[in-house]
């Protein structure tokens, strides 16, 4: 049995404000999902594995709290947030300007009660949840279109994305961990995945595929199928 769900504030799930990233709430949602599965009569509560894509940080933060229920974890084309690296890549001055914008937005929302939204993807760059042409090529076109999809996210969601630090949680992941990443990933450089892999203390495997960009691992069978095969064999050997 497999369970897929939308986190609160997104998709078919309830919650407001809509299109709001909430890292703490997502951890609670993941823990609830594991608890739901463990309570199903057709599920072996001692053999639960979790697999996730981009929000690998949330799975890392979750698995240390639901261990020993989660017996194995697979992170595929995940992101490994590190504010220090993000600031370096934005440039210190640009990053500080952006933080100032978020402070103004927070004050505006406090004064008016109205939620400020940005595009979720923007090929021209900021402002956006995921700026640049590559995420737009998937989420902003028919390639990634899904019922109910809206190209917007709360502006303060982006603040969470830029300031969330997963590094402190990685050494606490003791469940067997598989990381699958793309060598040509420009959105999340393979060095980030390799650094995360090095910090994990438990049993672990790393598979690096020769993708040309981040979104190849979303829907290109050339890379998706090897990722799925490796994940299945990893789970079979870990459960």
């Amino acid at each position: 049995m497999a369970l897929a769900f939308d986190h609160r504030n997104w998709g078919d799930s309830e919650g407001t404000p809509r299109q709001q990233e909430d890292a703490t709430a997502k951890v609670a949602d993941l823990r609830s999902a594991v608890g739901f599965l463990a309570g199903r009569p057709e599920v072996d509560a001692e053999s639960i594995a979790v697999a996730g894509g981009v929000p690998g940080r949330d799975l890392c933060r979750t698995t240390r709290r639901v261990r020993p229920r989660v017996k194995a974890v697979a992170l595929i084309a995940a992101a490994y947030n590190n504010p220090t690296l993000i600031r370096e890549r934005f440039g210190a001055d640009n990053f500080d300007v952006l933080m100032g914008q978020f402070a103004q937005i927070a004050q505006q929302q406090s004064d008016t009660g109205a939620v400020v939204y940005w595009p979720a993807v923007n090929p021209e760059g900021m402002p956006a949840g995921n700026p640049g042409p590559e995420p737009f090529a998937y989420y902003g076109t028919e390639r990634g279109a899904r019922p109910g999809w809206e190209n917007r996210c709360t502006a303060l969601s982006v603040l969470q994305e830029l300031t969330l630090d997963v590094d402190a949680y990685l050494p606490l992941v003791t469940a067997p961990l598989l990381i699958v990443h793309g060598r040509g990933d420009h959105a999340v450089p393979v060095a980030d995945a390799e650094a995360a892999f090095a910090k994990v203390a438990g049993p672990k495997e790393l598979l690096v595929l020769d993708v040309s960009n981040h979104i190849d691992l979303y829907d290109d069978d050339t890379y998706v199928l090897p990722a799925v095969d490796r994940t299945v064999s990893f789970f079979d050997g870990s459960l």
Side-chain angles (χ1 to χ4, degrees):
M1 178 179 180
L3 172 67
F5 67 97
D6 295 322
H7 284 282
R8 70 184 72 185
N9 306 341
W10 293 91
D12 290 333
S13 291
E14 298 177 349
T16 55
R18 302 305 297 167
Q19 285 77 46
Q20 163 78 9
E21 280 290 317
D22 186 332
T24 300
K26 290 176 81 170
V27 169
D29 292 345
L30 286 162
R31 292 176 65 188
S32 296
V34 171
F36 170 80
L37 281 175
R40 298 288 299 180
E42 65 269 46
V43 171
D44 180 357
E46 300 301 317
S47 298
I48 294 176
V50 294
V54 176
R57 60 194 180 271
D58 301 313
L59 288 178
C60 289
R61 295 171 69 230
T62 303
T63 52
R64 76 177 187 91
R65 300 186 185 187
V66 296
R67 184 81 166 143
R69 274 183 172 172
V70 172
K71 302 298 185 181
V73 181
L75 304 179
I76 303 169
Y80 304 94
N81 296 52
N82 181 316
T84 301
L85 284 179
I86 291 172
R87 189 170 188 266
E88 290 175 358
R89 289 168 183 168
F90 266 85
D93 290 343
N94 292 333
F95 190 83
D96 291 346
V97 168
L98 193 56
M99 291 302 109
Q101 291 178 6
F102 289 132
Q104 293 175 358
I105 290 168
Q107 185 62 54
Q108 177 183 343
Q109 291 188 177
S110 176
D111 292 342
T112 67
V115 176
V116 176
Y117 283 93
W118 281 1
V121 290
N122 178 3
E124 304 301 321
M126 297 297 289
N130 286 289
E134 184 176 321
F136 186 85
Y138 183 83
Y139 292 106
T141 68
E142 288 299 315
R143 179 177 174 182
R146 297 294 185 273
W149 159 251
E150 297 180 59
N151 184 16
R152 67 171 190 160
C153 64
T154 66
L156 294 185
S157 293
V158 186
L159 175 61
Q160 284 217 22
E161 294 291 292
L162 295 178
T163 57
L164 182 66
D165 191 351
V166 76
D167 275 7
Y169 297 92
L170 290 167
L172 304 176
V173 177
T174 57
L177 173 68
L178 169 67
I179 290 179
V180 181
H181 212 79
R183 196 181 313 278
D185 190 329
H186 302 291
V188 183
V190 67
D192 291 6
E194 292 170 339
F197 180 79
K199 291 183 177 74
V200 173
K204 55 189 176 181
E205 295 182 16
L206 174 65
L207 172 64
V208 178
L209 298 171
D210 288 323
V211 304
S212 61
N213 56 56
H214 182 77
I215 59 177
D216 280 347
L217 265 167
Y218 285 11
D219 60 1
D220 187 332
D221 283 349
T222 304
Y223 310 104
V224 172
L225 294 180
V228 170
D229 289 345
R230 183 65 169 271
T231 301
V232 170
S233 64
F234 180 76
F235 284 166
D236 284 345
S238 301
L239 298 180

